[in-house]
Amino acid sequence: MNICQAFAYVFHDRDDWFRKIAFPALCGLIPIIGPFIVSGWSLKAARNVMEGQSDDALPELNFGQDLGRGLMAALITVIYSIPTIILIGLSVPLFVQVGNGESSGVLLAILGGCLALLGIVIGILLMLLSVLAVAHYVARGKFGAAFRFKELFAILKKGFGNWLLVLLAQFVALSIIAPLGSIACGIGALLTSAYGQAVYAHIMGQAYRLSTEPDFVMVQDL
């Protein structure tokens, strides 16, 4: 994994890098659909890295395609979060029974706590798997690829450490890099948000390529 390259590749296109970042950043201002456009645009950078274009991965904005890709990625993430939501949802009414003072209430509260803990553990695992699922969807160009669990677990087994790094990169990109621009102004925040997404996408693309070589084959354009 070349982390330095993930931060630097954006600026390799000296003539057009600002425009390529600025257009998606401005699209981020669009209510409701803006974040999906930025996400879909950044995932195209991940695909470029998967194809071997690590130094020239910064993509052009394609409004319709990027919106569709971003929506599909969000849907995949939501589907993977359903088991966690169910477990946490079931734990809450059980856990509040601790206040009624009865032994049965205490037992139910313990059961609720166990369900909540199980939900957290499963949630972390599914969060990791959902990131890989999105990458597999991007690589294969088909929504169903995100749920080919045999393929996903084989990829995860081959590059588990790399995918943990991708999960960390997601946190850094969205929670640290993205808000930095707010120190300057609102436009700066938009630019750093798009930049953070681009960095995260590059690391995702690297992890996927490393985890699938020499079996990696690109299938169908998105």
Side-chain angles (χ1 to χ4, degrees):
M1 298 281 283
N2 191 335
I3 304 301
C4 291
Q5 186 182 39
F7 282 89
Y9 84 98
V10 170
F11 309 107
H12 288 179
D13 190 344
R14 295 183 180 181
D15 295 328
D16 290 333
W17 73 265
F18 184 79
R19 175 182 58 81
K20 289 182 178 179
I21 284 282
F23 284 178
L26 290 174
C27 285
L29 289 171
I30 302 175
I32 301 176
I33 66 172
F36 299 114
I37 297 171
V38 178
S39 174
W41 164 81
S42 70
L43 289 174
K44 190 159 52 181
R47 182 178 174 88
N48 288 340
V49 176
M50 294 172 188
E51 293 177 330
Q53 304 173 47
S54 296
D55 285 326
D56 187 28
L58 193 65
E60 297 279 359
L61 177 71
N62 186 308
F63 189 94
Q65 290 182 5
D66 293 340
L67 174 59
R69 189 182 301 107
L71 286 170
M72 291 299 100
L75 180 57
I76 290 167
T77 302
V78 169
I79 291 173
Y80 271 88
S81 69
I82 289 175
T84 303
I85 294 172
I86 292 174
L87 286 172
I88 297 297
L90 290 174
S91 71
V92 172
L94 294 175
F95 192 71
V96 296
Q97 297 297 321
V98 72
N100 65 21
E102 298 180 3
S103 58
S104 60
V106 173
L107 291 175
L108 288 174
I110 293 173
L111 177 60
C114 291
L115 282 176
L117 182 60
L118 180 62
I120 292 171
V121 172
I122 291 177
I124 294 172
L125 293 175
L126 288 179
M127 188 185 304
L128 180 62
L129 194 60
S130 70
V131 171
L132 173 54
V134 169
H136 204 44
Y137 153 68
V138 170
R140 301 305 180 191
K142 295 181 180 180
F143 182 77
F147 306 98
R148 296 174 187 169
F149 297 108
K150 184 177 179 179
E151 296 176 13
L152 294 178
F153 282 115
I155 296 171
L156 186 61
K157 181 180 179 181
K158 188 173 181 179
F160 184 76
N162 289 334
W163 289 103
L164 286 178
L165 188 58
V166 173
L167 201 60
L168 176 61
Q170 185 183 51
F171 171 78
V172 171
L174 302 183
S175 302
I176 298 178
I177 296 177
L180 283 178
S182 61
I183 297 174
C185 60
I187 297 299
L190 289 172
L191 290 173
T192 52
S193 178
Y195 173 70
Q197 290 270 22
V199 171
Y200 164 63
H202 196 282
I203 294 174
M204 173 192 282
Q206 288 188 59
Y208 190 87
R209 189 169 182 85
L210 289 171
S211 300
T212 53
E213 289 181 334
D215 304 320
F216 180 69
V217 177
M218 294 299 297
V219 178
Q220 184 179 346
D221 202 9
L222 283 178

